[in-house]
Amino acid sequence: MDDVFATAGQFLQTNGRLLERRLFDATFGGGPPGAVVDVLRGYQNEDGGFGHGLEPDKRCPASLPIDVEQALAAMADAGTVDTAMVLRACDFLGAVAGRAAAGGAVPLAFPVIEGFPRAAHWSGWTYEPGLNPTAGLAGLLHRLGVEHPWRSAATAWCRQRLDAGPLPDEVHSISEVLVLLEHVPDRAWADPLAERVVEHLRSTQMFHLDPGAPGYGLSPLDLAPLATSRWRGLFDAERVDAHLQHLLSQQQADGGWPVAWEPPGQAALLEWRGIVTLKALRTLTSYGVVTQST
């Protein structure tokens, strides 16, 4: 499987953003994790938030919570954290939550995205504060070990929302909840709830237990992207193996992986393909399906 790794690496070098190339180097080449932070500085605005299409489906320069989430995830994947950078982003999230008056919750985006190219699914529903992205953002802050008043408020809001029920039905909201439950310190609360959340997820639209299911959706590998992931044990080995083989089969002739939706342009498409290609490599190598070539 060395050729899988080599051709994917070549795809990233040819088509990937600097961010994914730096992440690839930090993950597989022994490169400095701090180089990932250096790239992220170009996406951070004066208000502390991140923008400029860090999440490529909207090409808006303004700070958006979804772009903050992408920045936190990049640092977590690189195994590093710039605390000052993250605290500025938390200040931004706290200000957003204050304006929303939603008890700590934030939305994915704001109407400002409508003045820029964006994918069709980025519309009014993304302006409502909710578990997506509040739970994921709080979970990543716990993972990075960064304390901030907004993290406390967001965690408390999510906990109250989840304890009151019902569980959300939208697949991305559920996946965001599982990020929080994976990293929040209170395991006596999080672990039993995670089992209920995953059981609920199994019957949710756009969650693909069958690796051959058509169209866009999330799979067990989105919840357990690494063999060491906390939620790996919630899915049987046979099902995980089937998804791994399906993921392997999706590599394209150019070495990259495809996306199952329509980004707002060719640049965004290549950026997304770089993101999902790196994600596929991390998953396949972690589970031992693909061997890293040198």
Side-chain angles (χ1 to χ4, degrees):
M1 293 298 177
D2 287 356
D3 57 329
V4 172
F5 187 93
T7 56
Q10 185 62 40
F11 175 85
L12 284 166
Q13 293 302 322
T14 303
N15 301 294
R17 295 185 296 187
L18 180 59
L19 177 58
E20 279 65 51
R21 300 200 308 272
R22 288 296 203 180
L23 278 166
F24 177 84
D25 193 35
T27 303
F28 298 110
V36 173
V37 175
D38 291 339
V39 176
L40 291 173
R41 293 190 200 285
Y43 291 93
Q44 191 167 34
N45 290 316
E46 288 297 317
D47 61 8
F50 290 82
H52 307 282
L54 184 52
E55 194 277 3
D57 269 345
K58 68 278 155 312
R59 316 302 279 177
C60 175
S63 296
L64 303 171
I66 181 61
D67 291 320
V68 175
E69 186 173 27
Q70 294 291 306
L72 299 182
M75 280 187 265
D77 287 345
T80 190
V81 59
D82 185 306
T83 301
M85 174 183 280
V86 175
L87 288 175
R88 290 183 60 212
C90 288
D91 288 343
F92 163 75
L93 293 170
V96 171
R99 291 193 295 271
V106 296
L108 285 158
F110 315 115
V112 65
I113 66 173
E114 296 175 17
F116 300 89
R118 69 190 193 281
H121 61 274
W122 280 88
S123 56
W125 70 272
T126 67
Y127 312 149
E128 296 297 322
L131 289 168
N132 181 13
T134 307
L137 283 160
L140 285 166
L141 290 171
H142 283 287
R143 179 180 174 184
L144 292 169
V146 177
E147 297 184 8
H148 187 275
W150 181 79
R151 189 189 80 170
S152 299
T155 302
W157 182 87
C158 291
R159 184 162 184 162
Q160 182 180 37
R161 167 72 175 76
L162 292 168
D163 288 345
L167 293 174
D169 290 324
E170 198 276 318
V171 67
H172 294 96
S173 295
I174 299 174
S175 69
E176 295 278 303
V177 167
L178 288 169
V179 174
L180 174 64
L181 296 181
E182 183 170 6
H183 300 292
V184 73
D186 188 351
R187 304 317 310 167
W189 172 71
D191 288 334
L193 179 56
E195 293 187 18
R196 290 200 296 114
V197 170
V198 170
E199 188 60 33
H200 176 66
L201 181 63
R202 292 173 186 272
S203 60
T204 300
Q205 187 179 15
M206 291 202 309
F207 184 67
H208 293 169
L209 277 172
D210 176 5
Y216 174 79
L218 302 186
S219 82
L221 296 181
D222 290 296
L223 308 183
L226 303 179
T228 55
S229 297
R230 185 183 293 274
W231 309 134
R232 163 66 186 84
L234 297 180
F235 302 96
D236 63 80
E238 183 178 356
R239 189 175 301 278
V240 170
D241 288 344
H243 278 279
L244 288 167
Q245 292 305 314
H246 178 72
L247 177 62
L248 181 64
S249 74
Q250 294 303 296
Q251 188 181 31
Q252 305 294 286
D254 61 7
W257 267 257
V259 297
W261 66 96
E262 188 173 348
Q266 288 302 304
L269 175 60
L270 281 177
E271 290 174 3
W272 268 120
R273 291 194 66 207
I275 292 169
V276 300
T277 295
L278 179 58
K279 180 181 177 183
L281 273 188
R282 292 182 73 244
T283 295
L284 292 170
T285 55
S286 175
Y287 281 93
V289 176
V290 166
T291 302
Q292 178 179 345
S293 56
T294 57

